[in-house]
Amino acid sequence: MIRHSLLFVLLFGSVVATSPMSGVPAPALALETEAGKYVSLIRGHILDDYQGMFRDEGGSFKYPFITPGSAAYGDILWDWDSWLSDVALRQILAEKGSPEDRTKALRYEQGCVLNYLNYGGMDGWIPIIIKRTSPPRKELRDMQNTWETNMHKPCLAQHAAFLTKINGGDAGWLRENFEVLQAFVSRYTNHQRHPATGLYFWNDDTAIGVDNDPCTFMRPPKSSGSIFLNCMMYKELVAMVYLADRLDLGEIAAEYQKDADRLKVAIQEHCWDERDGFFYSVDLNLLPYEPKPFGGDPKFRLHAGNPRNYDCLIQRIDVWSGFLAMWAGIATPEQAKRMVAEHYHSERTFNAPFGIRTLSKLEKMYNVRASSNPSLWTGPIWGVSNYLVFSGLVDYGFDAEARELAEKTIVLFGRDFERSGALHEYYLPESGEPVLNRGFQNWNYLVLNMAAWYEGKPRVREF
């Protein structure tokens, strides 16, 4: 028997060990067993620690709010961090909190949105972060050229819609400030949308969330048609449709729906790559066609016979945020199948033992060394990217892949809690070793939402 097995290996390659009971590959069974062990450990830590997320009003904060947690974010509002931390908080409250706890928390959660809108205005500008010591809006705005740098990421309406939906659809708390929220979205639409493609762009690479994404990092201003930004913007517009409907503003809702539909078409047209089966960012930094005399003949115009007939160049850089087209509901079912088969499953690019690499291992820019300014998104595993890819897999019915990614994330965080008693900001893809910032809670708590789905329990998810 041993001789026959050895001959098989020599002829056909290595044999994957399987369980004699189930036929499931042994590594998968080991991962599942370890994940089952760590769920209760993770849940215990998070349920014990979540009270530290609440902060009272005072200073620049007109309303109480929740903080993402960890020492680095101890008394601060940070746009997409606070939003996704709140999604995790709602999972915690669903599992542990009483009705009174959830009612009390709502005031703090809504305060996240209202504090930002309090710093807004009819010019649409809203800051990325607010500290307790932040100066008044005018002074803060005058400290920078707000037309040339980035502002709050397009997730404010999503946060408001999430809170409205969990509160039975009551958007009355937002009515007084809804015009400020509209101005915020309009500023993106009117000043950060590329006319020729209909795609949205970053003003620069300041605080884009995925700090050193090579498609944006240290590139020319207003040149990055980021797939991350455009997927976020699509969901923001859909959230505005929902909020306007809840406020009985049907005509306004219809306009936002048109904007969302147009953006979805633009992303499909310009960001989907049929060759690679993936969604990419695009380069908008193309010169306009200007006919120039050539060769001494004033009637001859250079390139006049065939001027450029494309409005952007696709950036075939494998960044994890291409999967956000599934999270946002932009990908077609056929596109999703290709993305999963050709990219999610590829261990040469994205698929790592502890989740999804934030940049393909095959990219020349791949780098996992510790960095905090910028934070490192060129390969390490982040809890938030694991979660958002997981969420898209669930939405498109890829349950086996979603289960695998949940298991990897649970094991990653479970081991960290077991060894260090805390979580970290990001991790090495191959070993799962933490890289930086012990005590980073933030959106890492979304592992609890993943664990709930994994166990077949109700899962709180973002709008």
Side-chain angles (χ1 to χ4, degrees):
M1 180 66 180
I2 295 174
R3 187 178 304 157
H4 290 167
S5 297
L6 180 60
L7 180 61
F8 184 92
V9 172
L10 290 173
L11 289 174
F12 300 106
S14 61
V15 177
V16 177
T18 61
S19 162
M21 299 278 299
S22 67
V24 177
L29 282 176
L31 186 66
E32 183 177 358
T33 300
E34 197 172 7
K37 178 184 78 170
Y38 282 130
V39 165
S40 59
L41 175 67
I42 290 171
R43 185 169 280 122
H45 273 281
I46 293 176
L47 296 184
D48 285 344
D49 293 344
Y50 85 93
Q51 294 282 359
M53 298 172 74
F54 296 104
R55 295 290 183 274
D56 290 326
E57 61 267 43
S60 60
F61 296 114
K62 184 177 178 180
Y63 305 92
F65 64 103
I66 63 167
T67 178
S70 80
Y73 303 93
D75 198 27
I76 191 171
L77 264 178
W78 203 305
D79 51 14
W80 75 313
D81 302 65
S82 296
W83 159 53
L84 290 171
S85 296
D86 195 9
V87 177
L89 174 61
R90 272 289 145 176
Q91 186 69 45
I92 295 168
L93 292 170
E95 296 189 15
K96 182 176 181 178
S98 66
E100 293 75 19
D101 291 333
R102 289 187 280 275
T103 299
K104 177 184 176 182
L106 187 61
R107 180 169 165 263
Y108 289 82
E109 295 168 288
Q110 291 175 344
C112 294
V113 175
L114 295 175
N115 277 315
Y116 272 119
L117 293 178
N118 185 53
Y119 261 81
M122 294 314 293
D123 64 352
W125 181 79
I126 293 178
I128 295 168
I129 62 171
I130 304 174
K131 301 178 180 179
R132 196 170 291 274
T133 56
S134 292
R137 180 183 194 270
K138 184 180 184 305
E139 185 178 337
L140 188 62
R141 187 189 59 192
D142 291 347
M143 291 167 62
Q144 56 193 301
N145 185 343
T146 61
W147 298 104
E148 299 301 324
T149 192
N150 295 323
M151 63 171 182
H152 192 297
K153 284 175 274 300
C155 58
L156 191 56
Q158 292 179 70
H159 197 171
F162 169 74
L163 293 172
T164 297
K165 195 168 186 177
I166 64 173
N167 197 35
D170 180 7
W173 64 281
L174 198 61
R175 186 178 297 277
E176 185 178 336
N177 293 282
F178 191 60
E179 62 184 20
V180 178
L181 185 57
Q182 290 184 77
F184 165 73
V185 174
S186 292
R187 184 171 175 122
Y188 268 107
T189 301
N190 296 329
H191 299 285
Q192 286 184 239
R193 182 170 57 174
H194 185 242
T197 62
L199 294 173
Y200 290 77
F201 55 81
W202 293 118
N203 281 328
D204 58 9
D205 66 355
T206 303
I208 61 173
V210 286
D211 290 14
N212 61 344
D213 172 358
C215 299
T216 303
F217 186 57
M218 300 189 76
R219 284 185 45 74
K222 304 183 180 183
S223 68
S224 175
S226 161
I227 187 63
F228 174 88
L229 171 62
N230 280 278
C231 288
M232 292 279 283
M233 195 68 213
Y234 175 74
K235 290 276 280 190
E236 191 79 342
L237 292 168
V238 172
M240 288 298 285
V241 174
Y242 172 76
L243 291 170
D245 275 335
R246 298 311 305 170
L247 291 168
D248 297 321
L249 302 171
E251 292 175 273
I252 292 175
E255 291 301 314
Y256 285 119
Q257 187 62 63
K258 290 177 185 176
D259 286 344
D261 293 342
R262 282 193 288 262
L263 178 55
K264 188 173 185 177
V265 169
I267 294 171
Q268 282 284 352
E269 179 181 355
H270 298 292
C271 300
W272 170 254
D273 184 35
E274 182 63 23
R275 188 191 78 175
D276 289 0
F278 203 57
F279 283 89
Y280 291 117
S281 298
V282 300
D283 179 9
L284 303 172
N285 191 33
L286 306 182
L287 297 175
Y289 173 65
E290 296 177 0
K292 300 176 182 179
F294 180 75
D297 182 352
K299 295 182 180 180
F300 183 82
R301 294 290 184 265
L302 190 65
H303 306 321
N306 188 18
R308 172 171 57 83
N309 61 355
Y310 46 89
D311 297 311
C312 63
L313 290 174
I314 202 160
Q315 293 177 293
R316 288 190 173 101
I317 302 173
D318 282 338
V319 181
W320 76 274
S321 44
F323 290 108
L324 286 180
M326 292 173 63
W327 166 79
I330 293 169
T332 67
E334 293 74 21
Q335 289 169 340
K337 287 178 183 177
R338 286 196 63 187
M339 293 169 70
V340 171
E342 299 172 31
H343 297 276
Y344 173 82
H345 281 295
S346 174
E347 295 180 0
R348 299 180 69 234
T349 58
F350 288 111
N351 196 303
F354 290 92
I356 294 295
R357 297 183 184 94
T358 44
L359 185 70
S360 163
K361 194 176 182 180
L362 293 181
E363 295 293 350
K364 292 183 180 296
M365 299 78 72
Y366 185 79
N367 176 19
V368 295
R369 291 175 293 180
S371 171
S372 62
N373 182 21
S375 292
L376 204 65
W377 293 82
T378 52
I381 302 294
W382 285 71
V384 64
S385 45
N386 271 10
Y387 172 78
L388 292 172
V389 174
F390 156 85
S391 192
L393 291 169
V394 172
D395 288 348
Y396 279 77
F398 294 98
D399 288 354
E401 289 80 3
R403 185 171 182 83
E404 176 197 56
L405 189 49
E407 287 172 348
K408 289 179 176 181
T409 310
I410 291 166
V411 170
L412 176 69
F413 289 163
R415 288 182 180 179
D416 202 10
F417 271 132
E418 187 174 61
R419 292 172 55 186
S420 67
L423 300 178
H424 288 73
E425 193 164 0
Y426 50 87
Y427 299 81
L428 294 179
E430 304 297 329
S431 67
E433 286 296 308
V435 178
L436 195 73
N437 196 1
R438 182 184 181 278
F440 186 88
Q441 297 166 191
N442 206 327
W443 45 47
N444 283 349
Y445 280 3
L446 288 166
V447 67
L448 197 61
N449 304 59
M450 299 171 81
W453 179 88
Y454 182 75
E455 295 180 319
K457 298 175 181 177
R459 167 195 163 214
V460 176
R461 71 154 297 171
E462 65 286 354
F463 176 82

